[in-house]
Amino acid sequence: MHTVLLGSILTLGLAAGLGAAEKYNGPRPPKQDLPYLVHADNLVPTEASQANSESHRGSTTYTIAGAASPARTPLAEPIFLIDSNTIDAERLEMYRMDVKGGRREISLSGGRRGSGKPIHLSVTPLGDHLYRVEAAEMLENGEYVLTPNGSNQVFCFEIY
């Protein structure tokens, strides 16, 4: 009986310790439904916009005004926080954008955006509608976009 009681106490203590380890105590995004780049204890808002779409012979090109985003990070594997109210963080996708003619663009053909595949993301719920979204691969310098699947809403940033 002593062994069972000791085992129960250890299990409860371990569960309490795990629960404490999972609680997020870092900075919180000041606005809902806007991904923020994480720079230590600072949060940098991404550039929120709507992409314009143009169809051409079986493909669609989504464009965003301006050649560069004001939201910038030196991190090759950026991390974002989003306080999700209407955006499903699990449905966010990331793509690299091409810069042409003073604007950023992504081409959609054959059911995929961009000239390549979507960038792999890791999404971790932190509680209370707060999510950590991370690029799960090293990214080159350039212009990128986070977008909810099936939406023209975009959140732009630059890696430098």
Side-chain angles (χ1 to χ4, degrees):
M1 178 162 164
H2 179 67
T3 307
V4 172
L5 181 60
L6 183 58
S8 296
I9 291 171
L10 287 174
T11 302
L12 287 173
L14 182 60
L18 287 176
E22 291 177 13
K23 184 170 170 109
Y24 177 75
N25 291 320
R28 294 201 167 258
K31 293 183 183 176
Q32 288 187 320
D33 295 322
L34 178 66
Y36 286 79
L37 287 158
V38 177
H39 288 172
D41 285 335
N42 297 318
L43 298 179
V44 177
T46 54
E47 174 191 10
S49 187
Q50 287 288 324
N52 295 315
S53 61
E54 305 166 0
S55 296
H56 305 281
R57 291 187 227 156
S59 70
T60 303
T61 300
Y62 295 89
T63 60
I64 299 116
S69 176
R72 303 178 73 220
T73 184
L75 303 174
E77 290 181 286
I79 299 169
F80 304 86
L81 284 180
I82 182 169
D83 183 355
S84 180
N85 182 38
T86 60
I87 293 175
D88 183 355
E90 299 282 345
R91 293 181 49 90
L92 285 174
E93 297 178 341
M94 183 186 294
Y95 297 92
R96 181 165 181 159
M97 297 185 293
D98 296 319
V99 178
K100 296 180 181 175
R103 66 183 188 177
R104 295 160 282 172
E105 64 181 48
I106 303 167
S107 294
L108 172 67
S109 60
R112 293 200 172 251
R113 289 186 183 191
S115 55
K117 299 176 186 173
I119 295 164
H120 294 103
L121 295 176
S122 170
V123 179
T124 306
L126 300 175
D128 298 328
H129 307 285
L130 186 64
Y131 293 86
R132 176 184 173 118
V133 179
E134 303 176 64
E137 55 189 271
M138 297 287 284
L139 304 177
E140 297 177 7
N141 290 352
E143 297 293 323
Y144 292 86
V145 63
L146 280 172
T147 181
N149 185 320
S151 171
N152 282 11
Q153 185 176 24
V154 293
F155 304 99
C156 306
F157 65 100
E158 177 183 359
I159 295 177
Y160 64 94

